[in-house]
């Protein structure tokens, strides 16, 4: 099938299809097939929405049973059996065993809507309007979250002033000690010109920002500042939560507990739209219907989401990530780094970046990968980072095959 219908009728705003200009039709595990029968290995993974692979059989079985039974599919946010089962499973098998205590909010079913909810709530709790966000961050494309997002081209699309946010240095810019000192000095200085924020919103790994992994020490520093100055710590785990970094919540490695934790993308396990805010009970001061929306009760996503959590609880996901992490890191160090000695390789779990410091070079590599049957995206400033983000359950031979394609593409293009 050619792409004429899209070019003729679909809005110019279309995005990823420009990088991967074929018509996709079928997907299973880590393989995606185009309508003309070519197979592609998927190292992009629905931008992180498909941690358990395309059309995961276990999750699909639950969805098919649910649909077959004519159980409720649309419910606004009314009480349903599917919602009760999702909440109970999440609380009893994920939240409680980690010694956490959270209430669950179902915002609209996108990451950006969950960020909007967190911003509103932090502002409501503290009575402050300012928010601290980090240079290089990405938190979404609606006005509130876009005010945090740093990409200047994306911000320009707003067409209005994006305000009530102060961008603070990321630890990789001037070192983590100075990054933390900047915050405390600003908060202590009555002439800083910067209002105390309601929240510090942070990703533990800046993903769109170019795969920058923040150290445990830095994350603990942020937690301590938030506690000392009575600021809410909000972790945006939309892209790197749900096992991506090796633990279900990405903050677990640092031993910090955010006041609000945001999950979306892979929380439904099947690529269905879904998002949740996990809120410490003392901050759950919403009035009824204060963050409403028609699609906050996506029952299919809840059914699939519970099945995905069962996979996580079985231990198979986290163990699998650790094994595959070693495979990726070893390959990148042994076989990729020597090809591009100036490149920086960064990552954790199953999110890795090859920073070639040049957008055109990164584009050439990714384009060649696509020609060779690998779907892979770029991230970071100038899109100079080749971003490796496969499914968490990708068979190891396919993982190696994808990495070999990247190595070949580098050899052929640089
Ligand atoms: C860290 C982070 N926050 C928020 C978002 C926005 O999520 P959505 O695209 O579902 O609105 C994304 C999307 O890539 C993300 O990576």
């Amino acid at each position: 099938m050619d792409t004429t219908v899209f070019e003729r009728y679909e809005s110019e705003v279309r995005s990823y299809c420009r990088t991967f200009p074929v018509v996709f039709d079928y997907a299973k595990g880590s393989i995606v097939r185009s309508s003309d029968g070519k197979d592609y290995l998927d190292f992009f993974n629905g931008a992180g929405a498909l941690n358990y692979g395309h059309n995961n059989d276990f999750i699909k079985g639950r969805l098919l049973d649910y649909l077959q039974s004519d159980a409720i599919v649309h419910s606004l946010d009314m009480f349903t059996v599917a919602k009760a089962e999702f909440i109970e499973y999440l609380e009893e098998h994920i939240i409680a065993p980690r010694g956490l205590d959270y209430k669950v909010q179902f915002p609209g079913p996108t990451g950006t809507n969950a960020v909007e909810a967190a911003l509103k709530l932090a502002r409501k709790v503290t009575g402050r309007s300012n928010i601290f966000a980090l240079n290089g961050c990405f938190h979404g494309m609606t006005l509130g979250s876009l005010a945090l997002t740093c990409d200047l081209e994306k911000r320009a699309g707003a067409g209005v002033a994006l305000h009530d946010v102060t961008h603070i240095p990321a630890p990789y810019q001037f070192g983590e000690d100075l990054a933390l000192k900047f915050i405390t000095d600003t908060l202590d200085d009555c002439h800083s010109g910067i209002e105390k924020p309601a929240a510090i919103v942070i990703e533990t790994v800046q993903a769109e920002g170019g795969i920058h992994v923040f150290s445990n020490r830095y994350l603990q520093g942020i937690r301590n500042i938030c506690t000392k100055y009575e600021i809410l710590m909000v972790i945006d785990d939309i892209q790197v939560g749900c096992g991506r970094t090796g633990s279900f919540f990405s903050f677990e490695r640092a031993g910090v507990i955010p006041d609000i934790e945001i999950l979306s993308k892979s929380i439904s396990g099947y690529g269905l739209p879904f998002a949740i805010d996990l809120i410490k009970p003392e901050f759950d001061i919403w009035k009824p219907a204060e963050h409403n929306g028609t699609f906050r009760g996506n029952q299919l996503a809840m059914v699939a989401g519970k099945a995905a959590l069962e996979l996580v609880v079985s231990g198979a996901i986290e163990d699998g990530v650790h094994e595959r992490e070693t495979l990726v890191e070893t390959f990148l160090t042994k076989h990729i780094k020597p090809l591009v000695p100036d490149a920086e390789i960064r990552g954790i779990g199953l999110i890795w970046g090859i920073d070639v410091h040049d957008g055109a070079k990164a584009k050439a590599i990714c384009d060649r990968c696509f020609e060779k049957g690998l779907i892979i995206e770029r991230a970071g400033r100038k899109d100079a980072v080749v971003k490796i983000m496969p499914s968490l359950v990708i068979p190891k031979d396919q993982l190696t095959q994808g990495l070999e394609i990247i190595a070949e593409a580098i050899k052929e293009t640089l």
Side-chain angles (χ1 to χ4, degrees), residues 16 47 109-113 115 138-141 203 207-208 236-240 264-265:
Y16 299 115
T110 56
T112 195
N113 196 286
V115 173
F138 183 88
H139 294 292
M141 297 287 286
E203 304 156 88
E208 298 306 305
D236 176 346
D237 237 355
I238 289 170
Q239 186 154 165
V240 301
S264 183
K265 292 200 190 268

Side-chain angles (χ1 to χ4, degrees), residues 144-167:
S145 63
L146 189 57
L148 275 63
T149 293
C150 287
D151 182 317
L152 292 176
E153 267 182 38
K154 295 202 163 55
R155 293 174 68 86
V160 294
L162 297 169
H163 47 75
D164 288 320
V165 173
T166 301
H167 286 101

Side-chain angles (χ1 to χ4, degrees), residues 356-378:
V356 295
H357 310 295
D358 179 329
K361 281 185 186 165
K363 179 169 168 23
I365 295 168
C366 292
D367 286 352
R368 184 59 64 92
C369 284
F370 189 61
E371 283 161 27
K372 291 172 157 295
L374 180 71
I375 298 173
I376 189 163
E377 244 299 24
R378 295 178 292 148

Side-chain angles (χ1 to χ4, degrees), residues 148-217:
L148 275 63
T149 293
C150 287
D151 182 317
L152 292 176
E153 267 182 38
K154 295 202 163 55
R155 293 174 68 86
V160 294
L162 297 169
H163 47 75
D164 288 320
V165 173
T166 301
H167 286 101
I168 58 175
Y172 53 83
Q173 291 178 296
F174 312 105
E176 57 191 41
D177 286 334
L178 273 184
L180 292 169
K181 184 169 165 12
F182 177 86
I183 306 174
T184 47
D185 281 9
T186 299
L187 294 171
D188 287 337
D189 179 1
C190 59
H191 278 54
S192 70
I194 295 174
E195 278 77 31
K196 181 171 167 178
I200 301 180
V201 181
I202 186 166
E203 304 156 88
T204 63
V205 180
Q206 277 190 351
E208 298 306 305
I211 327 299
H212 291 283
V213 183
F214 296 160
S215 75
N216 294 346
R217 183 173 164 273

Side-chain angles (χ1 to χ4, degrees), residues 58-59 62 302-312:
F58 176 69
I59 305 175
R62 291 289 176 79
M302 291 176 188
V303 170
K306 174 174 177 276
L309 294 181
E310 288 177 41
L311 289 178
V312 171

